[in-house]
């Protein structure tokens, strides 16, 4: 729910929850969608070509193989062979977990050049409506942005609304890695914004990267703006269920397992992104040490223990965030469970002072961004816990927020 900064019509959510039984009945009676035959997407075509390709007289490995196996394959190649694969199968290599990051950046630049030229032609295609031509122009401009010098595009898929991921920092040399997981209405066109810059994945990740450097200039960090899943479009059925989160969780898990090195990983999950992180939590590798959620509608569980993760679970919500009015329950698959900042959930509740609503958690100068950055560099003793009202029965919540975190936890600064 990244792009919604003002209060939505929350009665829509309540109506969806009230109709849960209806949808369950429809599902059990075989409600299906009929799809016509479609031409393979550019990414599918590239993967298909890869599967039939050869190098050095040998078949290429399964593109869905383990990241470790794919990493060993690329390590065995000469520079010339790597370059050949990048040029022949740019989309396949550019989206292949286990391929070296630098190789993926190069491959995705080639794929972006191709996609940009495709949209340039479509802008002047008289078979398209004026709206279609305008949309082609918007996408072409976005590809121009992504091709700017110095940008490191880790994943790119032009199909549909598009998917993309970008790296800030040196992923190979990072001592700590942060991954920003955004919410609804996230796609190629909303990947970055001029207005409300820090409510979009690029703004979120770049702000976090700068804040981590300010928190600990000697700690080498990398931050990934990860919009490489198909997010829900608006506050409809997709946003009220875990369907998008289920597929997103698989992709998130694949991303983390394909990251180079052994640096600890922290996830920053905003709005519906926290549903993705909640679904993914139990399967994530142990290098994921922290999961921080902001403006969460729930994580598909009733308490943090049910996430079945060894990672520390942090949560925050600004006092003006409309998400607090969404019903925190799950009925017939609709809704996302308990409130992660509630006293019974068991998360470490952080201050979000200054965030100013649902889309402001990564705004520079906020306590929410400060806390994210301190977690990112491992300086847990410097985080600021949520303040509690004197009449709050959980007046000792701050103790829970910092429980088990000794001064030794700040070693990540060095």
């Amino acid at each position: 729910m990244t792009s919604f900064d003002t209060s939505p019509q929350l009665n829509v959510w309540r109506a969806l929850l009230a109709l849960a039984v209806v949808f369950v009945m429809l599902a059990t009676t075989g409600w299906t969608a009929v799809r016509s035959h479609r031409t393979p997407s550019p990414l599918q075509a590239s993967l298909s070509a890869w599967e039939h390709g050869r190098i050095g007289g040998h078949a290429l490995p399964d593109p869905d193989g383990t990241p470790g196996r794919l990493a060993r394959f690329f390590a065995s190649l000469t520079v010339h062979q790597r370059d050949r694969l990048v040029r022949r199968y740019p989309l396949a290599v550019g989206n292949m977990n286990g391929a070296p990051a630098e190789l993926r950046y190069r491959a995705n630049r080639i794929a972006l050049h191709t996609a940009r030229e495709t949209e340039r032609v479509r802008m002047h295609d008289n078979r398209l409506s004026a709206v279609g031509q305008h949309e082609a122009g918007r996408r072409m401009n976005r590809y121009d942005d992504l091709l700017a010098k110095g940008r490191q595009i880790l994943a790119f898929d032009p199909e549909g609304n598009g998917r993309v991921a970008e790296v800030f920092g040196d992923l190979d040399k990072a001592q700590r890695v942060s991954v920003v997981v955004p919410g609804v209405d996230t796609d190629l066109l909303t990947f970055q914004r001029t207005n409300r810059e820090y409510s979009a994945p690029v703004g979120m990740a770049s702000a976090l990267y700068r804040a981590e450097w300010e928190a600990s200039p000697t700690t080498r960090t990398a931050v990934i703006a990860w919009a490489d899943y198909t997010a829900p479009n608006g506050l409809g059925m997709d946003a009220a269920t875990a369907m998008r989160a289920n597929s997103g969780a698989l992709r998130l898990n694949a991303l983390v397992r394909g990251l180079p090195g052994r640096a600890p990983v922290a996830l920053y999950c905003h709005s519906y992104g926290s549903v993705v992180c909640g679904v993914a939590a139990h399967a994530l590798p142990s290098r994921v040490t922290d999961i921080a959620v902001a403006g969460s509608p729930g994580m598909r569980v009733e308490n943090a223990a049910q996430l079945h993760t060894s990672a520390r679970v942090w949560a925050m919500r600004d006092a003006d965030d409309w998400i607090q009015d969404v019903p925190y329950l799950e009925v017939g698959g609709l809704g996302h469970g308990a409130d992660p900042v509630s006293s019974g959930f068991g998360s470490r509740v952080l201050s979000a002072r200054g965030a100013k609503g649902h889309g402001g958690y990564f705004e520079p100068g906020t306590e929410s961004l400060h806390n994210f950055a301190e977690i990112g560099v491992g300086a847990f003793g410097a985080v600021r816990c949520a303040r509690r009202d004197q009449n709050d029965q959980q007046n000792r919540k701050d103790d829970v927020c910092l429980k088990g975190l000794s001064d030794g936890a700040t070693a990540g600064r060095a």
Side-chain angles (χ1 to χ4, degrees):
M1 301 166 186
T2 301
S3 66
F4 291 83
D5 296 332
T6 57
S7 296
Q9 296 179 351
L10 294 172
N11 59 326
V12 172
W13 275 78
R14 296 188 177 96
L16 288 172
L17 291 169
L19 290 171
V21 174
V22 175
F23 285 104
V24 170
M25 290 175 64
L26 287 169
T28 56
T29 55
W31 188 21
T32 60
V34 178
R35 299 193 177 195
S36 60
H37 176 73
R38 297 179 60 188
T39 302
S41 71
L43 175 55
Q44 290 170 335
S46 185
L47 287 169
S48 178
W50 170 281
E51 290 171 348
H52 293 90
R54 301 180 71 81
I55 191 110
H58 300 284
L60 299 176
D62 182 353
D64 293 322
T66 65
R69 184 185 176 203
L70 289 169
R72 289 190 294 273
F73 164 73
F74 281 104
S76 72
L77 302 177
T78 65
V79 173
H80 175 72
Q81 288 174 322
R82 289 187 183 192
D83 184 67
R84 183 179 169 191
L85 292 178
V86 164
R87 294 186 178 280
R88 283 192 175 184
Y89 317 105
L91 277 171
V93 175
N95 290 277
M96 197 171 292
N97 293 308
E102 289 295 334
L103 214 60
R104 293 179 68 171
Y105 302 156
R106 286 173 49 202
N108 284 320
R109 287 192 71 82
I110 294 172
L112 279 162
H113 275 289
T114 300
R116 182 178 63 180
E117 292 310 306
T118 297
E119 297 304 327
R120 190 189 304 278
V121 171
R122 294 181 72 246
M123 283 177 60
H124 305 288
D125 189 340
N126 292 329
R127 294 172 298 179
L128 296 179
S129 65
V131 172
Q133 291 176 339
H134 176 71
E135 187 73 7
R138 293 182 65 201
R139 290 174 74 97
M140 189 196 73
N141 290 333
R142 171 61 71 239
Y143 298 149
D144 269 335
D145 293 336
L146 295 175
L147 283 166
K149 185 177 180 180
R151 298 193 72 166
Q152 302 177 134
I153 306 304
L154 187 68
F156 168 62
D157 181 1
E159 180 71 3
N161 290 332
R163 297 194 295 249
V164 63
E166 181 174 8
V167 175
F168 296 84
D170 191 329
L171 196 56
D172 289 316
K173 295 181 180 179
Q175 294 170 300
R176 290 183 171 273
V177 177
S178 299
V179 182
V180 175
V181 183
V184 306
D185 288 338
T186 299
D187 54 34
L188 275 169
L189 294 179
T190 60
F191 187 55
Q192 63 188 69
R193 295 192 182 97
T194 301
N195 297 322
R196 295 184 295 115
E197 174 183 0
Y198 301 108
S199 66
V202 169
M204 292 176 177
S206 60
L208 179 58
Y209 182 63
R210 290 192 298 269
E212 288 180 346
W213 183 86
E214 292 169 358
S216 179
T218 59
T219 302
R220 296 191 304 272
T221 65
V223 180
I224 301 173
W226 189 76
D228 194 27
Y229 81 104
T230 303
N233 183 16
L235 294 178
M237 280 295 298
D238 281 354
T241 70
M243 181 177 70
R244 298 296 188 189
N246 289 336
S247 57
L250 294 174
R251 298 185 67 83
L252 180 60
N253 190 31
L255 166 83
V256 174
R257 292 183 181 278
L259 293 175
R262 298 181 179 179
V265 176
L267 305 181
Y268 299 87
C269 319
H270 178 240
S271 198
Y272 189 85
S274 66
V275 185
V276 176
C277 291
V279 174
H282 74 282
L284 292 168
S286 59
R287 69 184 295 186
V288 176
T289 57
D290 296 271
I291 300 174
V293 303
S296 173
M299 300 181 75
R300 305 298 295 183
V301 293
E302 292 306 308
N303 56 65
Q306 292 179 358
L307 293 171
H308 300 294
T309 177
S310 60
R312 288 172 287 266
V313 180
W314 310 82
M316 65 173 71
R317 185 175 65 221
D318 180 65
D320 295 326
D321 191 337
W322 58 259
I323 202 75
Q324 63 191 304
D325 295 323
V326 169
Y328 282 97
L329 50 90
E330 186 274 326
V331 179
L334 297 176
H336 302 302
D339 182 354
V341 303
S342 64
S343 58
F345 191 84
S347 62
R348 301 171 186 271
V349 182
L350 297 168
S351 170
R353 187 178 180 183
K356 297 181 181 178
H358 190 63
Y361 292 97
F362 291 83
E363 288 276 350
T366 60
E367 287 196 356
S368 49
L369 182 61
H370 163 86
N371 282 327
F372 285 159
E374 299 294 357
I375 291 170
V377 299
F380 307 116
V383 301
R384 299 168 187 169
C385 300
R387 294 184 177 91
R388 291 283 165 171
D389 186 87
Q390 292 296 321
N391 297 322
D392 195 328
Q393 293 182 355
Q394 296 293 325
N395 205 25
R396 294 176 60 83
K397 186 68 174 181
D398 284 359
D399 295 339
V400 176
C401 174
L402 299 176
K403 184 178 180 180
L405 300 178
S406 64
D407 290 341
T410 64
R413 284 181 175 270

